[in-house]
């Protein structure tokens, strides 16, 4: 086992050439943004925030912006074929195009990253309307995924210039999402180190935790994963690559159906996971099943916890412990027909890790579903 843990306080002592204030938004390219917006509003409890499209004079694509806590999703679909958005959807299905990060200075973020060999996506661009101005810039990361740096300290509008207010589709209640805990990328076999190096050299991130395939392997599937975190620890990007297993791993299945490297899952933090999961289930959100046997040995693995085991078992919530505390987590099924992007719901009670102890139980659950799809 090759586990190394570097504390967040140690990370913050090093000079940070790319100060990041938080996750600004996550943009998905989807086949039907209107229906996706309905899903995120009513199933996940996001609240309507902004819109851009034909009615606002934008003729390329429609975008719906929804927010819950500090989590902002943008759902975009093109009006016509023969453009990058349409091609992205044709190739990847619904998926994440943009992981946007809030910065103090988007021009500086662009300069610091591109001079360290980050591949330019968007040169610093100023957008303004009656609510002020923003500066956006961006670089490429794995696959067709990009990071956009958003400088919004001089902007008071709801989202970005060009967007208008939007009332959504009726009323929906939040489920308690607070912020984006982490976003995981799947990359090709043998390319994990290339992207670990990218986050370290180009973006100034540090490796937070690593575990090799012996930690997280099952009979059929395995993966290797390294977690990259920025200077203040707000932004965490684990990178997965497939490892040798007897059969096709879940990472390979993703890469095959996404037709490329991309975002595998977004983890959303909540303060009351029992409430959130009960509510999400009631609204029809599908979760991976957790074997009942998992709960028989749970207390032996994690020690005393505040939550009643029978409630966790009823809802399928997983628990893991590290040196600093414990965490509760659960994973949805993919939220589109392709077995690609899914969500993690996570409640941290001191633990700063990612549920390594649950990987085996989780993978076994994922593999049962892969087998059902004939992909194992
Ligand atoms: Fe995760």
């Amino acid at each position: 086992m090759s586990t190394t843990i570097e504390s967040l306080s140690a990370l913050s002592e090093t000079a940070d050439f790319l100060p990041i204030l938080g996750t600004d938004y996550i943009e998905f390219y989807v086949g039907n943004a209107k229906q996706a917006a309905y899903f995120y509003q009513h199933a996940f409890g996001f609240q309507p925030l902004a819109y851009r499209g034909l009615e606002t004079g934008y003729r390329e694509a429609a975008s719906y912006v929804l927010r819950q806590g500090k989590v902002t999703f943008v759902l975009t679909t093109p009006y016509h074929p023969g453009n990058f958005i349409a091609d992205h959807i044709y190739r990847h299905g619904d998926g994440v195009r943009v992981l946007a990060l809030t910065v103090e200075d988007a021009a500086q973020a662009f300069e610091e990253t591109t001079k360290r060999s980050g591949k330019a996506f968007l040169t610093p661009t100023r957008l303004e309307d009656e609510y002020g101005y923003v500066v956006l810039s961006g670089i490429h990361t794995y696959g067709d995924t990009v990071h956009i740096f958003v400088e919004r300290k001089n902007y008071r509008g709801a989202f970005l210039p060009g967007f208008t207010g939007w009332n959504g589709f009726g009323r929906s209640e939040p489920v308690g999402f607070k912020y984006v805990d982490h976003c995981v990328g799947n990359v090709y076999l043998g390319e994990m180190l290339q992207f670990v190096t990218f986050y370290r050299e180009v973006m100034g991130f540090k490796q937070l935790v690593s575990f090799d395939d012996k930690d997280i392997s099952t009979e059929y599937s395995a993966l290797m994963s390294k977690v990259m975190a920025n200077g203040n620890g707000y932004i965490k990007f684990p990178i997965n690559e497939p490892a040798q297993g007897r059969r096709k791993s879940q990472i390979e299945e993703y890469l095959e159906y996404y037709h490329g490297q991309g975002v595998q899952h977004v983890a959303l933090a909540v303060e009351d996971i029992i409430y959130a999961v009960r509510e999400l289930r009631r609204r029809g959100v599908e979760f991976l099943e957790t074997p009942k046997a998992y709960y028989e040995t749970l207390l032996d693995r994690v020690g005393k916890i505040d939550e009643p085991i029978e409630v966790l078992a009823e809802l399928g919530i997983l628990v893991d412990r590290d040196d600093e505390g414990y965490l509760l987590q659960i994973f949805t099924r993919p939220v589109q027909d392709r077995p690609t992007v899914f969500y993690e719901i996570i409640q941290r009670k001191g633990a700063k890790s990612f549920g390594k102890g649950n990987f085996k139980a989780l993978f076994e659950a994922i593999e049962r579903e892969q087998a059902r799809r004939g992909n194992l």
Side-chain angles (χ1 to χ4, degrees):
M1 193 168 95
S2 65
T3 300
T4 57
I5 296 178
E6 192 166 356
S7 78
L8 291 173
S9 57
L11 289 183
S12 63
E13 286 163 18
T14 56
D16 193 351
F17 63 80
L18 180 63
I20 298 173
L21 305 174
T23 302
D24 201 277
Y25 65 90
I26 298 175
E27 183 170 15
F28 301 77
Y29 285 173
V30 298
N32 187 335
K34 191 170 201 169
Q35 288 187 8
Y38 183 92
F39 173 80
Y40 282 107
Q41 194 190 336
H42 289 281
F44 276 69
F46 281 82
Q47 301 299 299
L49 184 70
Y51 169 81
R52 183 179 69 181
L54 291 174
E55 297 83 348
T56 70
Y58 191 72
R59 308 199 65 80
E60 307 299 316
S63 292
Y64 297 78
V65 187
L66 301 98
R67 179 171 291 165
Q68 186 167 179
K70 293 180 180 169
V71 186
T72 306
F73 283 179
V74 182
L75 305 160
T76 295
T77 203
Y79 288 118
H80 301 286
N83 55 73
F84 183 83
I85 305 173
D87 293 349
H88 192 280
I89 296 165
Y90 183 74
R91 180 176 181 80
H92 300 300
D94 289 6
V96 174
R97 165 62 166 168
V98 179
L99 294 172
L101 304 167
T102 317
V103 297
E104 272 295 316
D105 186 335
Q108 186 194 11
F110 184 80
E111 191 197 318
E112 294 289 344
T113 51
T114 53
K115 83 179 184 196
R116 291 173 168 84
S117 79
K119 187 179 163 207
F121 165 65
L122 176 68
T123 55
T125 302
R126 182 178 155 131
L127 302 175
E128 59 184 290
D129 64 12
E130 67 264 40
Y131 299 107
Y133 71 89
V134 300
V135 183
L136 306 179
S137 65
I139 60 172
H140 291 267
T141 177
Y142 43 75
D144 285 327
T145 318
V146 297
H147 289 307
I148 289 185
F149 303 118
V150 182
E151 174 189 325
R152 55 168 69 256
K153 59 179 184 271
N154 296 301
Y155 192 67
R156 305 176 315 280
F159 182 56
L160 290 174
F163 285 77
T164 183
W166 170 58
N167 291 325
F169 306 110
R171 268 171 46 82
S172 65
E173 291 302 316
V175 300
F177 295 147
K178 295 293 180 192
Y179 56 87
V180 174
D181 188 275
H182 58 277
C183 294
V184 180
N186 281 345
V187 304
Y188 292 128
L189 180 62
E191 297 200 7
M192 178 179 63
L193 284 179
Q194 174 192 325
F195 289 101
V196 165
T197 305
F198 164 82
Y199 281 106
R200 189 177 59 235
E201 303 296 325
V202 174
M203 296 192 51
F205 284 34
K206 295 280 168 59
Q207 188 178 332
L208 202 57
V209 180
S210 80
F211 34 83
D212 63 24
D213 57 343
K214 290 182 200 64
D215 289 318
I216 43 176
S217 62
T218 60
E219 185 181 2
Y220 295 124
S221 301
L223 65 72
M224 291 192 286
S225 186
K226 292 191 188 301
V227 181
M228 304 307 290
N230 80 318
N232 60 20
Y234 292 175
I235 306 297
K236 295 183 276 290
F237 292 141
I239 308 290
N240 293 334
E241 72 171 20
Q244 295 299 327
R246 278 178 45 193
R247 303 285 285 274
K248 185 187 293 175
S249 76
Q250 54 148 317
I251 311 302
E252 289 169 284
E253 187 194 34
Y254 172 100
L255 295 166
E256 180 180 314
Y257 280 84
Y258 198 72
H259 288 268
Q261 312 183 111
V263 171
Q264 177 207 40
H265 74 267
V266 175
L268 301 172
V270 295
E271 268 171 23
D272 183 350
I273 195 168
I274 289 174
Y275 173 79
V277 173
R278 203 185 283 291
E279 195 56 28
L280 290 164
R281 282 189 180 279
R282 191 182 66 76
R283 299 177 192 192
V285 173
E286 300 174 305
F287 291 93
L288 293 185
E289 287 166 29
T290 308
K292 290 295 168 221
Y294 173 89
Y295 296 95
E296 291 165 12
T297 56
L298 181 61
L299 289 183
D300 301 336
R301 282 202 303 111
V302 302
K304 189 181 174 312
I305 54 173
D306 303 332
E307 296 74 16
I309 297 285
E310 61 276 14
V311 175
L312 299 180
E314 173 206 331
L315 296 170
I317 295 167
L318 307 165
V319 189
D320 195 24
R321 186 178 283 281
D322 65 20
D323 296 342
E324 295 173 270
Y326 70 98
L327 61 83
L328 304 113
Q329 64 186 170
I330 189 168
F331 298 85
T332 72
R333 288 193 176 141
V335 291
Q336 57 291 307
D337 292 295
R338 297 193 197 194
T340 54
V341 183
F342 60 89
Y343 291 90
E344 172 181 352
I345 315 300
I346 183 167
Q347 181 182 355
R348 295 186 178 279
K349 301 185 89 167
K352 295 204 176 72
S353 50
F354 297 84
K356 185 175 76 175
N358 284 325
F359 271 64
K360 194 169 187 322
L362 165 69
F363 280 15
E364 285 166 356
I366 289 177
E367 282 166 11
R368 277 193 297 280
E369 307 224 336
Q370 251 181 278
R372 237 175 273 160
R373 294 190 287 263
N375 286 335
L376 188 60

